[in-house]
Amino acid sequence: MPALTSFLPLSLQTVLLLVASNVFMTFAWYGHLRSLATAPWYAAAFVSWGIALAEYLLQVPANRIGFQQAGFSVGQLKIMQEVITLAVFLPFSVYFLKVPMRLDYLWAALCMVGAVYFIFRNG
């Protein structure tokens, strides 16, 4: 029986793995600010390190598939990661960390759209 991912285009596999990895990394980097706020910093660091391991187990294959098989350049992979980071971080910060939504997020997103345009415009 073929793997489920064999039915997905390589570019979509790359993006989905990057999204999943970024969810883990966002929780690793910022989740402790709320969920482990009273724990010592070293306890939060060890918990975050464990979560980050899951991120790496998704990030590494995402970059390998994207670069070696889907034909993305390293720059394209990096810009995709940054856009995904913003797309994951915004709802995380608003809903999990209870940070108020600001117009600055929109301006940052527009800058990222410009970065996507420039990195992908020549193939």
Side-chain angles (χ1 to χ4, degrees):
M1 177 182 214
L4 178 61
T5 56
S6 66
F7 297 109
L8 298 174
L10 292 170
S11 57
L12 183 58
Q13 289 179 41
T14 300
V15 170
L16 292 175
L17 284 168
L18 288 174
V19 169
S21 74
N22 209 282
V23 169
F24 280 103
M25 203 63 205
T26 300
F27 273 96
W29 284 7
Y30 302 105
H32 62 87
L33 296 176
R34 182 154 184 238
S35 62
L36 298 172
T38 60
W41 72 265
Y42 50 85
F46 280 112
V47 170
S48 294
W49 180 81
I51 296 168
L53 175 61
E55 185 268 343
Y56 280 101
L57 292 174
L58 297 168
Q59 177 78 12
V60 170
N63 284 326
R64 291 175 76 92
I65 291 168
F67 183 74
Q68 295 174 346
Q69 297 173 340
F72 291 118
S73 70
V74 175
Q76 289 170 332
L77 287 167
K78 182 60 180 169
I79 293 300
M80 272 194 286
Q81 180 62 39
E82 295 304 325
V83 169
I84 291 167
T85 297
L86 186 59
V88 168
F89 182 74
L90 177 59
F92 175 84
S93 64
V94 170
Y95 294 110
F96 185 77
L97 294 177
K98 308 295 185 204
V99 173
M101 178 70 164
R102 296 180 20 207
L103 197 55
D104 290 342
Y105 290 122
L106 172 64
W107 305 133
L110 289 174
C111 289
M112 296 303 291
V113 168
V116 169
Y117 169 76
F118 286 112
I119 204 74
F120 280 93
R121 72 181 169 149
N122 292 327

